[in-house]
Amino acid sequence: MAYKHILVHLDSGPQVETRLDAAIALSKTSGAFLRGLFAQPDRSATSVIARRSSDHLEQAAARSEAMFRDKLQASGLQGQWHGLTHGEHNHVIREVIIWSRFADLTVLGQFDRSAPADGVAPEELNEQVVLNSGRPVLVLPFAGTFPVIGKRVAVAWNAEREAARALSDAMPFLQAADEVTVITVLTQAAPPAGTEPQRIGLLDHLALHGVTADQTHFTVTDIGAMDALLARSIDSGADLLVMGAHGHYGFPFLHRGGGTRHVLRTCPVPLLLSH
């Protein structure tokens, strides 16, 4: 089992080269076809209204294509570059979602609030692709480089639908990992022994896929569940966190999706999300 078709989002942001390098490394590991998609909002209001690219956007697209082709040729991979016909805000988001549906894995970059606004994707792009593409999405932090992703994997697990989907979508990473740690966040006391039916354990399920994993858990009593999860992932030395999008870990006061949004904006390690 492996990802055979990887899509990487390209723009003019400061981390685009790092993102492309990571996507190339993943594609080489899995033998995947790499597709680059250049998509960013246009700064020219006239061009946006006319639904055509401005000279500025066309020049940015040309630089993106040249970088993609040079790096692809150097890597020896098979791939293809595409650019959107214009940069209207909603068009950018919608097209990245649609293109992602035809890939096994989509690689995006974390939004950097401190970066110049020109040349970067919309802030809500990541969340919208995760929730609407139906495919796993790998989000790379805006700081750092990631030559290796998935050797030490942390899996956030709460037995909800989203977590189960993320676990399945991440199986190529899990099967290739050196270490896998399952992190369970508990929000209430466990039921007395014997009151719950016996179910297969998650570690047993992973073992059937050839994955040897450890499991840890901790209890939280406030809205800091997501920060606690991130801290535990970092403590485990993870270079990849796998998580189901919209997992709220049982907190009635954490609005649906709030945890996902927070992790998307703050996760300091590569993050694989599925919904």
Side-chain angles (χ1 to χ4, degrees):
M1 183 177 183
Y3 304 118
K4 291 303 181 183
H5 183 190
I6 295 177
L7 176 72
V8 58
H9 169 249
L10 306 172
D11 56 16
S12 301
Q15 283 295 310
V16 64
E17 188 169 359
T18 297
R19 185 159 68 249
L20 179 55
D21 287 342
I24 287 174
L26 289 173
S27 298
K28 292 181 71 173
T29 299
S30 60
F33 183 93
L34 180 62
R35 196 174 301 279
L37 178 64
F38 177 80
Q40 71 182 42
D42 201 333
R43 68 184 185 184
S44 169
T46 302
S47 297
V48 169
I49 294 172
R51 297 294 193 271
R52 61 174 178 79
S53 292
S54 65
D55 291 342
H56 171 77
L57 192 61
E58 288 182 351
Q59 292 167 7
R63 291 193 297 270
S64 172
E65 184 176 11
M67 178 181 66
F68 181 86
R69 293 189 184 281
D70 287 347
K71 286 183 175 290
L72 198 70
Q73 183 176 18
S75 70
L77 286 172
Q78 294 294 315
Q80 192 170 9
W81 180 93
H82 303 269
L84 299 190
T85 56
H86 63 85
E88 191 273 327
H89 183 95
N90 292 325
H91 177 73
V92 169
I93 295 174
R94 182 174 60 252
E95 286 298 307
V96 177
I97 290 171
I98 293 173
W99 281 83
S100 295
R101 291 174 181 164
F102 295 91
D104 297 325
L105 178 71
T106 296
V107 182
L108 303 176
Q110 188 180 56
F111 185 79
D112 183 3
R113 294 174 179 268
S114 65
D118 184 41
V120 299
E123 181 175 2
E124 67 271 30
L125 176 69
N126 293 348
E127 186 175 358
Q128 291 300 319
V129 175
V130 168
L131 298 182
N132 295 292
S133 68
R135 292 290 190 268
V137 175
L138 179 65
V139 180
L140 303 184
F142 60 75
T145 58
F146 311 97
V148 177
I149 299 174
K151 289 301 181 183
R152 305 182 69 177
V153 183
V155 179
W157 179 255
N158 63 355
E160 297 292 338
R161 182 192 70 81
E162 295 88 352
R165 172 66 186 274
L167 184 80
S168 178
D169 285 343
M171 197 60 70
F173 279 114
L174 301 179
Q175 291 173 329
D178 293 334
E179 296 181 20
V180 176
T181 301
V182 177
I183 302 174
T184 301
V185 182
L186 303 176
T187 59
Q188 58 186 2
T195 62
E196 288 288 322
Q198 182 64 38
R199 301 186 181 94
I200 182 174
L202 181 59
L203 300 191
D204 294 330
H205 169 71
L206 290 172
L208 293 172
H209 290 272
V211 178
T212 300
D214 296 321
Q215 190 164 20
T216 183
H217 67 269
F218 60 96
T219 303
V220 293
T221 57
D222 56 35
I223 204 168
M226 294 300 106
D227 288 328
L229 173 64
L230 293 179
R232 186 61 62 95
S233 300
I234 295 171
D235 290 343
S236 71
D239 59 22
L240 175 66
L241 172 61
V242 175
M243 177 178 163
H246 274 186
H248 51 71
Y249 294 95
F251 286 109
F253 44 81
L254 183 58
H255 65 87
R256 186 165 177 78
T260 300
R261 190 171 300 118
H262 179 68
V263 172
L264 270 172
R265 293 174 177 174
T266 61
C267 189
V269 300
L271 173 68
L272 189 143
L273 284 167
S274 292
H275 175 65

